[in-house]
């Protein structure tokens, strides 16, 4: 099963992808997570990507596409994957199509997590992420059991540097500029399913699992 999760910053792509990956026993591939690992590891890619990420801009397509191509060439992706954060524009969607043609694989479905702007701002300004395992929490919506410590691994929680209100605004502008043509692209291939992601995480998850089950039974 190969699933793409699309949606604005804060739609819950990472939250849903992590749970789905466990449920369906598939790798979760998040371009944002891989880039952040490169930044904290001080790699060449991380050094090149950092200034774009800090501003809330997209990292250049050639860098991200090369990085993704490498990741989906790894053995654990043979059984499928859940892709979160890629593609971000038509260029990337076409690059992904080239990769899948070369590897002779298909995308089963694309979920668009439709989210309203006030919800996005509330979610991102309150998000906490585990430094050790990357699990997501939220100060109000999904608070950790112990203040600033991860429920799953006990790691320290932190606020992402791009979750400041000013940077969130830039990320949203970048997103809005690209999203319409991306939606059209996947609507044309009849792979796109819109889901309201303003609802509680468990409700959103059930809708995606329902799509995956229907697809698996075909
Ligand atoms: P990336 O990490 O992909 O960030 P993003 O797309 O902005 O998405 P977020 O991670 O902010 O949100 P999310 O939808 O995953 O929400 P989450 O589940 O965490 O990218 C970061 C940067 O890397 C980009 O700006 C860019 O510079 C670069 N980059 C990455 N990919 C790139 C690419 N392909 N090309 C070029 N550049 C790229 O949830 C948010 C919060 O809400 C959490 O606190 C969570 O607990 C809470 N929450 C989630 N769902 C719910 C719910 N249903 N109800 C209540 N609370 C919820």
């Amino acid at each position: 099963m190969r699933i793409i999760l699309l949606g604005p910053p804060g739609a819950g792509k990472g939250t849903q992808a992590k749970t789905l990956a466990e449920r369906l026993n598939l790798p979760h591939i998040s371009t944002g997570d891989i880039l952040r690992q490169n930044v904290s590891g001080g790699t060449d890619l991380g050094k090149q990507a950092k200034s774009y990420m800090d501003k809330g801009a997209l990292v250049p397509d050639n860098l991200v596409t090369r990085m993704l191509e490498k990741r989906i060439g790894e053995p654990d992706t043979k059984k499928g994957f859940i892709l979160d954060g890629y593609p971000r524009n038509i260029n990337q969607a076409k690059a992904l199509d080239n990769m899948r043609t070369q590897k002779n694989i298909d995308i089963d479905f694309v979920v668009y997590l439709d989210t309203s702007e006030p919800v996005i701002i509330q979610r991102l300004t309150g998000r906490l992420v585990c430094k050790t395992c990357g699990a997501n929490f939220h100060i109000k919506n999904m608070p950790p059991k112990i203040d600033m410590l991860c429920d799953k691994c006990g790691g320290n929680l932190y606020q992402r540097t791009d979750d400041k209100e000013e940077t969130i605004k830039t990320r949203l502008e970048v997103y809005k500029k690209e999203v319409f043509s991306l939606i059209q692209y996947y609507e044309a291939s009849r792979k796109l399913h819109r889901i309201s992601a303003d609802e509680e995480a468990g409700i959103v998850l059930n809708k995606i699992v329902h799509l995956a089950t229907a697809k698996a039974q075909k």
Side-chain angles (χ1 to χ4, degrees):
M1 179 82 53
R2 295 178 194 86
I3 304 170
I4 299 178
L5 298 184
L6 296 182
K13 303 181 294 295
T15 302
Q16 295 300 333
K18 283 185 177 73
T19 319
L20 263 183
E22 279 169 21
R23 282 253 190 128
L24 305 178
N25 192 26
L26 293 173
H28 166 210
I29 303 180
S30 155
T31 47
D33 285 352
I34 304 174
L35 286 167
R36 278 184 290 279
Q37 282 158 15
N38 276 276
V39 171
S40 60
T43 65
D44 280 349
L45 171 62
K47 284 176 192 153
Q48 293 178 76
K50 188 176 184 318
S51 62
Y52 297 96
M53 295 172 78
D54 285 347
K55 280 187 293 204
L58 290 184
V59 174
D61 288 345
N62 61 331
L63 294 180
V64 186
T65 298
R66 220 179 310 138
M67 176 187 92
L68 179 75
E69 199 159 12
K70 191 163 158 245
R71 178 64 186 91
I72 64 172
E74 286 172 18
D76 65 332
T77 64
K78 288 226 159 58
K79 55 187 174 185
F81 51 75
I82 296 166
L83 193 49
D84 151 19
Y86 191 103
R88 294 288 243 264
N89 55 31
I90 289 293
N91 241 345
Q92 294 186 6
K94 288 183 179 162
L96 181 62
D97 269 347
N98 284 338
M99 284 179 227
R100 62 164 199 83
T101 309
Q102 274 169 20
K103 291 181 191 304
N104 199 20
I105 57 175
D106 207 358
I107 299 296
D108 291 279
F109 62 93
V110 180
V111 177
Y112 174 62
L113 295 173
D114 206 353
T115 323
S116 62
E117 209 157 308
V119 169
I120 291 171
I121 307 280
Q122 190 268 356
R123 284 186 187 169
L124 292 182
T125 49
R127 169 166 55 188
L128 297 170
V129 183
C130 175
K131 245 183 198 151
T132 311
C133 73
N136 270 324
F137 296 88
H138 188 279
I139 291 170
K140 283 196 183 132
N141 307 351
M142 301 176 195
K145 291 188 185 111
I146 303 171
D147 195 29
M148 295 310 276
L149 290 182
C150 177
D151 291 356
K152 295 190 176 160
C153 74
N156 289 315
L157 303 185
Y158 77 104
Q159 186 175 34
R160 268 172 47 177
T161 50
D162 59 350
D163 278 348
K164 296 184 204 93
E165 207 150 335
E166 265 319 292
T167 321
I168 294 171
K169 277 187 196 146
T170 312
R171 284 161 63 201
L172 270 172
E173 276 160 26
V174 169
Y175 163 79
K176 282 182 197 158
K177 224 175 89 198
E178 306 288 355
V179 68
F180 185 64
S181 44
L182 203 51
I183 287 176
Q184 277 187 324
Y185 188 83
Y186 285 114
E187 265 175 352
S189 65
R190 297 179 172 273
K191 299 235 184 248
L192 191 86
H193 298 265
R194 283 172 189 261
I195 287 182
S196 164
D198 277 357
E199 293 177 275
E200 196 232 299
I203 297 175
V204 179
L205 178 71
N206 284 342
K207 290 185 195 169
I208 307 176
V209 170
H210 185 75
L211 285 173
T213 311
K215 190 76 197 173
Q217 283 167 352
K218 267 193 187 169

